[in-house]
Amino acid sequence: MILKLVVLSAFVGVLSPSAAYKITTNVIDGVPSFLNITTAPFIKIGTGYYFIQISIPKNWHAAFESCRRMEADLVAFESLEEFNMIWSHLSAMHPVRPFWTAGTDFAEQGKHEWFSNGQPVPSTLWRKGEPNNYGNNEHCDNIYVTHGFGLNDDVCSKLFFYVCKAPQPKTASFIVW
Ligand code: BGC
Ligand code: CA
């Protein structure tokens, strides 16, 4: 906020003090590529920004914390379209382990929700036969590309890769004239 005010007063300072100025503001979704601003370590897939950890496996809780340290969250899919896009991206990477998502049934056994936002995990995202709570000990949800399309509930202490999603960035600009 302070930075915005400084920029505004710098603009006004170079303009003639007697004139009246019209200021138009504009806010758009995402970061336009022409700005050359890095979004690393997040990469853009579709309209979202994601971090894919594919070398250091962690248990679900450690993966959750790792995302939070980046001011992001374990991925929570908002639509089947978003899930399809990430699924294709991950399977093209030929991962040797599954990826944790934000889905868990910690709050109520058998009721899977995104732990990051409390919304239900859409039933359309599950692999056939899942969630099966195999061995009565599966409470964290992953993307297991070698086992087929869809989410799978699994044992939270297993060391898997994970995907974080950054909060949606917006770009604000203003024109003074
Ligand atoms: C996984 C389970 C899964 C089962 C069926 C097992 O290897 O640990 O979570 O339900 O495979 O695909
Ligand atoms: Ca399972």
Side-chain angles (χ1 to χ4, degrees), residues 51-59 62-63 66 69 96-100 158-163:
F51 170 78
I52 299 171
Q53 173 54 267
I54 196 171
S55 55
I56 306 168
K58 298 188 178 180
N59 67 51
S66 294
R69 278 194 287 271
V96 295
R97 294 169 192 246
F99 296 86
W100 288 126
K158 286 190 185 170
L159 304 184
F160 289 154
F161 300 140
Y162 55 94
V163 179

mmCIF file of all heavy atoms in Angstrom, residues 51-59 62-63 66 69 96-100 158-163:
data_model
loop_
_atom_site.group_PDB
_atom_site.id
_atom_site.type_symbol
_atom_site.label_atom_id
_atom_site.label_comp_id
_atom_site.label_asym_id
_atom_site.label_seq_id
_atom_site.Cartn_x
_atom_site.Cartn_y
_atom_site.Cartn_z
ATOM 1 N N PHE A 51 3.291 -25.033 -7.657
ATOM 2 C CA PHE A 51 4.654 -25.498 -7.395
ATOM 3 C C PHE A 51 4.582 -27.018 -7.339
ATOM 4 O O PHE A 51 3.796 -27.585 -6.568
ATOM 5 C CB PHE A 51 5.160 -24.946 -6.051
ATOM 6 C CG PHE A 51 6.446 -25.559 -5.596
ATOM 7 C CD1 PHE A 51 7.657 -25.162 -6.137
ATOM 8 C CD2 PHE A 51 6.448 -26.555 -4.614
ATOM 9 C CE1 PHE A 51 8.855 -25.738 -5.721
ATOM 10 C CE2 PHE A 51 7.636 -27.135 -4.185
ATOM 11 C CZ PHE A 51 8.844 -26.715 -4.753
ATOM 12 N N ILE A 52 5.385 -27.677 -8.151
ATOM 13 C CA ILE A 52 5.372 -29.145 -8.197
ATOM 14 C C ILE A 52 6.653 -29.673 -7.580
ATOM 15 O O ILE A 52 7.741 -29.437 -8.109
ATOM 16 C CB ILE A 52 5.225 -29.634 -9.656
ATOM 17 C CG1 ILE A 52 3.899 -29.121 -10.239
ATOM 18 C CG2 ILE A 52 5.297 -31.163 -9.727
ATOM 19 C CD1 ILE A 52 3.752 -29.351 -11.730
ATOM 20 N N GLN A 53 6.525 -30.350 -6.442
ATOM 21 C CA GLN A 53 7.698 -30.954 -5.783
ATOM 22 C C GLN A 53 7.796 -32.399 -6.254
ATOM 23 O O GLN A 53 6.955 -33.228 -5.894
ATOM 24 C CB GLN A 53 7.531 -30.864 -4.261
ATOM 25 C CG GLN A 53 8.594 -31.591 -3.467
ATOM 26 C CD GLN A 53 10.024 -31.177 -3.833
ATOM 27 O OE1 GLN A 53 10.668 -31.801 -4.681
ATOM 28 N NE2 GLN A 53 10.509 -30.128 -3.201
ATOM 29 N N ILE A 54 8.799 -32.674 -7.056
ATOM 30 C CA ILE A 54 8.924 -34.003 -7.654
ATOM 31 C C ILE A 54 10.278 -34.632 -7.345
ATOM 32 O O ILE A 54 10.684 -35.615 -7.960
ATOM 33 C CB ILE A 54 8.634 -33.947 -9.184
ATOM 34 C CG1 ILE A 54 8.369 -35.337 -9.753
ATOM 35 C CG2 ILE A 54 9.708 -33.166 -9.937
ATOM 36 C CD1 ILE A 54 7.867 -35.377 -11.156
ATOM 37 N N SER A 55 10.989 -34.097 -6.324
ATOM 38 C CA SER A 55 12.267 -34.732 -5.974
ATOM 39 C C SER A 55 12.405 -35.025 -4.481
ATOM 40 O O SER A 55 13.089 -35.973 -4.112
ATOM 41 C CB SER A 55 13.449 -33.881 -6.456
ATOM 42 O OG SER A 55 13.339 -32.584 -5.954
ATOM 43 N N ILE A 56 11.772 -34.230 -3.614
ATOM 44 C CA ILE A 56 11.909 -34.471 -2.164
ATOM 45 C C ILE A 56 10.550 -34.905 -1.609
ATOM 46 O O ILE A 56 9.657 -34.080 -1.414
ATOM 47 C CB ILE A 56 12.403 -33.201 -1.428
ATOM 48 C CG1 ILE A 56 13.685 -32.683 -2.078
ATOM 49 C CG2 ILE A 56 12.598 -33.485 0.066
ATOM 50 C CD1 ILE A 56 14.080 -31.279 -1.621
ATOM 51 N N PRO A 57 10.369 -36.224 -1.388
ATOM 52 C CA PRO A 57 9.068 -36.685 -0.891
ATOM 53 C C PRO A 57 8.882 -36.375 0.593
ATOM 54 O O PRO A 57 9.854 -36.392 1.369
ATOM 55 C CB PRO A 57 9.118 -38.195 -1.143
ATOM 56 C CG PRO A 57 10.554 -38.551 -1.235
ATOM 57 C CD PRO A 57 11.328 -37.315 -1.591
ATOM 58 N N LYS A 58 7.647 -36.097 0.978
ATOM 59 C CA LYS A 58 7.337 -35.773 2.383
ATOM 60 C C LYS A 58 6.032 -36.429 2.784
ATOM 61 O O LYS A 58 5.205 -36.745 1.903
ATOM 62 C CB LYS A 58 7.198 -34.254 2.552
ATOM 63 C CG LYS A 58 8.488 -33.525 2.231
ATOM 64 C CD LYS A 58 8.436 -32.057 2.567
ATOM 65 C CE LYS A 58 9.805 -31.458 2.249
ATOM 66 N NZ LYS A 58 9.902 -30.050 2.513
ATOM 67 N N ASN A 59 5.830 -36.588 4.099
ATOM 68 C CA ASN A 59 4.518 -37.059 4.549
ATOM 69 C C ASN A 59 3.512 -35.917 4.355
ATOM 70 O O ASN A 59 3.908 -34.775 4.092
ATOM 71 C CB ASN A 59 4.569 -37.584 5.992
ATOM 72 C CG ASN A 59 4.843 -36.494 7.019
ATOM 73 O OD1 ASN A 59 4.187 -35.449 7.039
ATOM 74 N ND2 ASN A 59 5.829 -36.718 7.881
ATOM 75 N N ALA A 62 4.024 -32.712 6.527
ATOM 76 C CA ALA A 62 5.234 -31.960 6.164
ATOM 77 C C ALA A 62 5.031 -31.257 4.825
ATOM 78 O O ALA A 62 5.475 -30.121 4.631
ATOM 79 C CB ALA A 62 6.437 -32.897 6.104
ATOM 80 N N ALA A 63 4.333 -31.921 3.898
ATOM 81 C CA ALA A 63 4.037 -31.302 2.598
ATOM 82 C C ALA A 63 3.137 -30.082 2.805
ATOM 83 O O ALA A 63 3.369 -29.019 2.220
ATOM 84 C CB ALA A 63 3.350 -32.313 1.682
ATOM 85 N N SER A 66 5.240 -27.309 4.077
ATOM 86 C CA SER A 66 6.136 -26.778 3.036
ATOM 87 C C SER A 66 5.399 -25.781 2.158
ATOM 88 O O SER A 66 5.941 -24.727 1.822
ATOM 89 C CB SER A 66 6.678 -27.897 2.152
ATOM 90 O OG SER A 66 7.497 -28.730 2.910
ATOM 91 N N ARG A 69 4.845 -22.538 4.048
ATOM 92 C CA ARG A 69 6.064 -21.712 4.148
ATOM 93 C C ARG A 69 6.283 -20.891 2.886
ATOM 94 O O ARG A 69 6.982 -19.894 2.915
ATOM 95 C CB ARG A 69 7.283 -22.590 4.437
ATOM 96 C CG ARG A 69 7.434 -22.937 5.918
ATOM 97 C CD ARG A 69 8.811 -23.513 6.220
ATOM 98 N NE ARG A 69 8.933 -24.853 5.708
ATOM 99 C CZ ARG A 69 8.605 -25.960 6.389
ATOM 100 N NH1 ARG A 69 8.152 -25.873 7.624
ATOM 101 N NH2 ARG A 69 8.743 -27.146 5.835
ATOM 102 N N VAL A 96 7.712 -40.999 -10.030
ATOM 103 C CA VAL A 96 7.896 -42.328 -9.447
ATOM 104 C C VAL A 96 7.095 -42.490 -8.149
ATOM 105 O O VAL A 96 7.092 -43.558 -7.548
ATOM 106 C CB VAL A 96 9.397 -42.632 -9.203
ATOM 107 C CG1 VAL A 96 10.143 -42.711 -10.533
ATOM 108 C CG2 VAL A 96 10.047 -41.590 -8.289
ATOM 109 N N ARG A 97 6.451 -41.407 -7.702
ATOM 110 C CA ARG A 97 5.582 -41.481 -6.518
ATOM 111 C C ARG A 97 4.331 -40.636 -6.775
ATOM 112 O O ARG A 97 4.354 -39.744 -7.618
ATOM 113 C CB ARG A 97 6.278 -40.889 -5.269
ATOM 114 C CG ARG A 97 7.480 -41.679 -4.793
ATOM 115 C CD ARG A 97 8.235 -40.868 -3.748
ATOM 116 N NE ARG A 97 9.535 -41.458 -3.488
ATOM 117 C CZ ARG A 97 9.895 -41.995 -2.335
ATOM 118 N NH1 ARG A 97 9.065 -42.004 -1.309
ATOM 119 N NH2 ARG A 97 11.093 -42.504 -2.187
ATOM 120 N N PRO A 98 3.283 -40.866 -5.970
ATOM 121 C CA PRO A 98 2.093 -40.014 -6.072
ATOM 122 C C PRO A 98 2.374 -38.603 -5.518
ATOM 123 O O PRO A 98 3.424 -38.368 -4.904
ATOM 124 C CB PRO A 98 1.068 -40.729 -5.196
ATOM 125 C CG PRO A 98 1.639 -42.065 -4.885
ATOM 126 C CD PRO A 98 3.118 -41.939 -5.000
ATOM 127 N N PHE A 99 1.400 -37.710 -5.713
ATOM 128 C CA PHE A 99 1.493 -36.329 -5.212
ATOM 129 C C PHE A 99 0.380 -36.086 -4.202
ATOM 130 O O PHE A 99 -0.801 -36.346 -4.515
ATOM 131 C CB PHE A 99 1.296 -35.332 -6.362
ATOM 132 C CG PHE A 99 2.347 -35.388 -7.428
ATOM 133 C CD1 PHE A 99 2.232 -36.284 -8.490
ATOM 134 C CD2 PHE A 99 3.458 -34.539 -7.386
ATOM 135 C CE1 PHE A 99 3.199 -36.330 -9.492
ATOM 136 C CE2 PHE A 99 4.423 -34.587 -8.380
ATOM 137 C CZ PHE A 99 4.301 -35.481 -9.434
ATOM 138 N N TRP A 100 0.730 -35.545 -3.045
ATOM 139 C CA TRP A 100 -0.304 -35.143 -2.079
ATOM 140 C C TRP A 100 -1.080 -33.934 -2.580
ATOM 141 O O TRP A 100 -0.514 -33.057 -3.221
ATOM 142 C CB TRP A 100 0.317 -34.780 -0.717
ATOM 143 C CG TRP A 100 0.831 -35.925 0.073
ATOM 144 C CD1 TRP A 100 2.087 -36.060 0.598
ATOM 145 C CD2 TRP A 100 0.105 -37.093 0.496
ATOM 146 N NE1 TRP A 100 2.196 -37.240 1.293
ATOM 147 C CE2 TRP A 100 0.994 -37.896 1.248
ATOM 148 C CE3 TRP A 100 -1.202 -37.552 0.306
ATOM 149 C CZ2 TRP A 100 0.616 -39.113 1.808
ATOM 150 C CZ3 TRP A 100 -1.576 -38.768 0.857
ATOM 151 C CH2 TRP A 100 -0.679 -39.528 1.597
ATOM 152 N N LYS A 158 2.939 -41.658 4.590
ATOM 153 C CA LYS A 158 3.773 -42.075 3.453
ATOM 154 C C LYS A 158 4.477 -40.866 2.840
ATOM 155 O O LYS A 158 3.912 -39.763 2.787
ATOM 156 C CB LYS A 158 2.920 -42.765 2.385
ATOM 157 C CG LYS A 158 2.487 -44.171 2.769
ATOM 158 C CD LYS A 158 1.870 -44.838 1.551
ATOM 159 C CE LYS A 158 1.295 -46.196 1.875
ATOM 160 N NZ LYS A 158 0.505 -46.733 0.765
ATOM 161 N N LEU A 159 5.700 -41.110 2.371
ATOM 162 C CA LEU A 159 6.486 -40.028 1.786
ATOM 163 C C LEU A 159 6.189 -39.922 0.294
ATOM 164 O O LEU A 159 6.605 -40.771 -0.496
ATOM 165 C CB LEU A 159 7.986 -40.266 2.020
ATOM 166 C CG LEU A 159 8.413 -40.455 3.479
ATOM 167 C CD1 LEU A 159 9.924 -40.573 3.586
ATOM 168 C CD2 LEU A 159 7.908 -39.312 4.359
ATOM 169 N N PHE A 160 5.462 -38.877 -0.064
ATOM 170 C CA PHE A 160 5.076 -38.668 -1.463
ATOM 171 C C PHE A 160 5.490 -37.268 -1.908
ATOM 172 O O PHE A 160 5.814 -36.401 -1.085
ATOM 173 C CB PHE A 160 3.552 -38.813 -1.626
ATOM 174 C CG PHE A 160 3.044 -40.232 -1.478
ATOM 175 C CD1 PHE A 160 1.737 -40.463 -1.075
ATOM 176 C CD2 PHE A 160 3.856 -41.332 -1.745
ATOM 177 C CE1 PHE A 160 1.237 -41.762 -0.947
ATOM 178 C CE2 PHE A 160 3.377 -42.637 -1.619
ATOM 179 C CZ PHE A 160 2.067 -42.841 -1.216
ATOM 180 N N PHE A 161 5.448 -37.051 -3.214
ATOM 181 C CA PHE A 161 5.642 -35.695 -3.745
ATOM 182 C C PHE A 161 4.372 -34.902 -3.465
ATOM 183 O O PHE A 161 3.405 -35.439 -2.893
ATOM 184 C CB PHE A 161 5.949 -35.762 -5.251
ATOM 185 C CG PHE A 161 7.190 -36.564 -5.573
ATOM 186 C CD1 PHE A 161 7.225 -37.415 -6.686
ATOM 187 C CD2 PHE A 161 8.320 -36.477 -4.770
ATOM 188 C CE1 PHE A 161 8.362 -38.146 -6.988
ATOM 189 C CE2 PHE A 161 9.461 -37.206 -5.069
ATOM 190 C CZ PHE A 161 9.475 -38.048 -6.185
ATOM 191 N N TYR A 162 4.354 -33.650 -3.872
ATOM 192 C CA TYR A 162 3.150 -32.845 -3.612
ATOM 193 C C TYR A 162 3.076 -31.664 -4.569
ATOM 194 O O TYR A 162 4.064 -31.312 -5.219
ATOM 195 C CB TYR A 162 3.111 -32.363 -2.150
ATOM 196 C CG TYR A 162 4.334 -31.606 -1.692
ATOM 197 C CD1 TYR A 162 4.389 -30.215 -1.744
ATOM 198 C CD2 TYR A 162 5.451 -32.293 -1.215
ATOM 199 C CE1 TYR A 162 5.517 -29.537 -1.321
ATOM 200 C CE2 TYR A 162 6.587 -31.610 -0.796
ATOM 201 C CZ TYR A 162 6.614 -30.237 -0.855
ATOM 202 O OH TYR A 162 7.745 -29.560 -0.447
ATOM 203 N N VAL A 163 1.890 -31.079 -4.626
ATOM 204 C CA VAL A 163 1.654 -29.902 -5.477
ATOM 205 C C VAL A 163 1.069 -28.799 -4.604
ATOM 206 O O VAL A 163 0.087 -29.025 -3.891
ATOM 207 C CB VAL A 163 0.647 -30.221 -6.618
ATOM 208 C CG1 VAL A 163 0.388 -28.988 -7.472
ATOM 209 C CG2 VAL A 163 1.162 -31.378 -7.485
#
